[in-house]
Amino acid sequence: MVGYNRGRMSFLSRRCLVSGCVQGVGYRAFVQEVAIREKVAGYVRNLGDGRVETVLSGPMESVARVEQALGVGPTGARIDSVDATDDAEEAFEGTFEIRPTTRRTGE
């Protein structure tokens, strides 16, 4: 994992692509709730190919807890895989938002 330091705390930015039954089941709202609780910034959105893309930025431990929750999801979701990569180019501060669906596939 590649992180960056802000003061005495180590921060991390990760991009996760989640596949399975993750659209139409409240998955994005679930992710937003967990991210806000963990004080992680970034976004979540549906992709045109049926996956969900999430970018998480924040303290390493908090990002790890949100990433773990991505593999569980809300009731009604079925998670087949969570593919996570470091995303040092896209770091966010402050809020975690639900973005509109995009046609791109996340590749």
Side-chain angles (χ1 to χ4, degrees), residues 43-91:
Y43 67 85
V44 61
R45 67 178 165 192
N46 288 338
L47 297 178
D49 63 4
R51 294 180 298 170
V52 169
E53 175 186 41
T54 302
V55 173
L56 309 168
S57 294
M60 288 181 151
E61 298 80 13
S62 298
V63 169
R65 285 191 292 272
V66 177
E67 195 173 323
Q68 184 177 13
L70 296 179
V72 177
T75 302
R78 186 194 77 247
I79 314 306
D80 292 338
S81 68
V82 178
D83 298 317
T85 56
D86 292 329
D87 194 2
E89 293 179 15
E90 195 165 15

Side-chain angles (χ1 to χ4, degrees), residues 3-106:
Y4 55 97
N5 289 321
R6 179 164 294 146
R8 294 180 1 187
M9 193 177 280
S10 292
F11 279 68
L12 179 67
S13 188
R14 301 272 285 168
R15 179 172 177 258
C16 303
L17 295 173
V18 184
S19 62
C21 180
V22 291
Q23 293 191 13
V25 294
Y27 191 83
R28 291 177 299 162
F30 168 83
V31 173
Q32 183 182 44
E33 181 180 314
V34 173
I36 289 170
R37 183 176 65 233
E38 293 293 337
K39 297 178 175 49
V40 169
Y43 67 85
V44 61
R45 67 178 165 192
N46 288 338
L47 297 178
D49 63 4
R51 294 180 298 170
V52 169
E53 175 186 41
T54 302
V55 173
L56 309 168
S57 294
M60 288 181 151
E61 298 80 13
S62 298
V63 169
R65 285 191 292 272
V66 177
E67 195 173 323
Q68 184 177 13
L70 296 179
V72 177
T75 302
R78 186 194 77 247
I79 314 306
D80 292 338
S81 68
V82 178
D83 298 317
T85 56
D86 292 329
D87 194 2
E89 293 179 15
E90 195 165 15
F92 292 87
E93 290 187 33
T95 63
F96 191 92
E97 61 187 34
I98 296 176
R99 291 192 176 173
T101 300
T102 182
R103 291 181 188 244
R104 71 183 196 95
T105 63

